[in-house]
Amino acid sequence: MVIPTLNEERNLPHVFAKLPADINEVVLVDGGSVDRTVDVARELRPDVVVVHQTRTGKGNALACGFAACTGDIIVMIDADGSTDPAEIPLFVQKLVDGADFVKGSRFNHGGHSHDITKLRKVGNDGLNLVVNVLFGTKFTDLCYGYNAFWRSVVPVLDLPDTRLPRNPDGSKHWGDGFEIETMINIRAAVDGMNVGEVGSVEHRRIHGETNLNTFRDGFRVLRTIFSEYGRMRGAKKAGAHRSRGVIVHQHGPRNTAASKPLPAPRQRDEVGALSTEIKRAHPHD
């Protein structure tokens, strides 16, 4: 699990308390917290892997976290309590069943949001529509940051190199901000990955204020969409695109296990055991 943080000491006890027991690696990426975020994380989970991000922004934090992961499956959640760690087994099950990349959705499969405003909902719907028209996808929730995927797909996402220095003018590298969620969703689909969706309930932030700005970050996401569309068309013209079709498999992703490397024996046993427990706990899912 990768969890970006910035002054989240009051929220971490709630988030860590809901982590499934089967998670064997928690990577906390700190963005320069001035409170006790890192100390609290180590108190709550002594084996936590603490990484300090190299620049600023959620995108850079996630890229740093992905680079530190060693397990077969990576799950990205938020530290403010808005994403429920108890849902992680549902994402893992979808991956074990054959998906390459799994998105959380607040607006499908029984998902819901206790936090989104009417204005943000309208904006999200509009951005969803643009992406589905341009890329032929069937996303129901483009801008939600709760995702899980096999670690082997990270290179395909082609995130900004974490070793790049900060821009002299203080601006973020493209992909270092909140646009990261839209970027990786689109790149997973354009690559032809088997993308699944899982219903997820978004809760209100427990403590603190969000860094998300509806208009500024909304326009940044829109710019990301058109940038990724140009990237896709450029790749096609160059003959480098090898997509197997851009489609989101929402209700039963086909099994692609044969196309990905098998996990290491120890980790494969852990994933299999988790899958068995999920089926026992959710016999009708």
Side-chain angles (χ1 to χ4, degrees):
M1 187 187 78
V2 174
I3 177 168
T5 59
L6 180 62
N7 301 323
E8 300 285 6
E9 67 166 308
R10 292 190 295 168
N11 293 323
L12 289 184
H14 170 85
V15 175
F16 277 46
K18 301 188 74 173
L19 294 179
D22 301 87
I23 292 180
N24 58 16
E25 185 177 58
V26 176
V27 177
L28 182 140
V29 187
D30 189 62
S33 297
V34 295
D35 63 3
R36 297 186 65 251
T37 291
V38 173
D39 293 335
V40 169
R42 286 176 170 150
E43 291 167 3
L44 294 169
R45 188 171 179 119
D47 65 342
V48 67
V49 177
V50 176
V51 175
H52 296 281
Q53 67 179 99
T54 56
R55 295 187 295 275
T56 60
K58 186 175 184 179
N60 174 250
L62 288 172
C64 291
F66 298 163
C69 290
T70 63
D72 292 295
I73 291 174
I74 296 175
V75 183
M76 45 185 276
I77 70 169
D78 292 330
D80 58 7
S82 60
T83 49
D84 186 355
E87 296 174 353
I88 289 177
L90 301 177
F91 287 77
V92 172
Q93 182 66 65
K94 204 82 165 177
L95 291 168
V96 171
D97 287 345
D100 299 304
F101 186 100
V102 180
K103 293 182 73 286
S105 174
R106 297 165 291 181
F107 311 119
N108 201 6
H109 309 292
H112 182 70
S113 176
H114 296 286
D115 181 65
I116 195 168
T117 63
K118 291 182 179 180
L119 179 61
R120 285 174 52 206
K121 178 64 167 63
V122 170
N124 187 79
D125 289 346
L127 294 170
N128 247 352
L129 178 62
V130 173
V131 168
N132 288 340
V133 169
L134 291 180
F135 296 93
T137 52
K138 296 180 181 179
F139 289 134
T140 63
D141 194 357
L142 178 69
C143 301
Y144 192 41
Y146 201 166
N147 300 305
F149 44 89
W150 295 95
R151 183 164 58 93
S152 59
V153 313
V154 172
V156 177
L157 301 178
D158 194 23
L159 303 181
D161 191 334
T162 58
R163 297 168 296 180
L164 291 172
R166 299 187 185 192
N167 289 328
D169 61 359
S171 62
K172 291 183 175 67
H173 288 280
W174 191 246
D176 276 359
F178 280 109
E179 71 275 5
I180 185 66
E181 293 155 359
T182 300
M183 179 182 290
I184 65 175
N185 290 337
I186 292 175
R187 290 186 180 179
V190 168
D191 184 69
M193 292 184 200
N194 189 334
V195 179
E197 285 192 347
V198 167
S200 177
V201 177
E202 180 186 38
H203 302 275
R204 291 186 178 89
R205 165 181 276 273
I206 303 172
H207 299 289
E209 299 294 329
T210 181
N211 291 317
L212 181 69
N213 181 285
T214 300
F215 292 101
R216 179 196 65 206
D217 293 306
F219 281 116
R220 195 170 178 93
V221 168
L222 185 62
R223 179 185 168 194
T224 300
I225 293 170
F226 288 110
S227 175
E228 291 300 308
Y229 184 68
R231 184 176 188 265
M232 180 185 71
R233 289 179 61 86
K236 285 182 176 180
K237 289 180 180 179
H241 187 64
R242 295 292 182 270
S243 175
R244 294 166 291 172
V246 182
I247 184 168
V248 174
H249 300 270
Q250 297 178 344
H251 298 290
R254 64 184 182 278
N255 194 332
T256 58
S259 65
K260 64 170 67 68
L262 288 174
R266 178 181 64 81
Q267 293 170 328
R268 185 165 64 244
D269 290 343
E270 291 171 353
V271 173
L274 177 58
S275 176
T276 300
E277 290 302 316
I278 293 170
K279 291 177 180 178
R280 290 174 180 170
H282 305 276
H284 302 296
D285 285 354

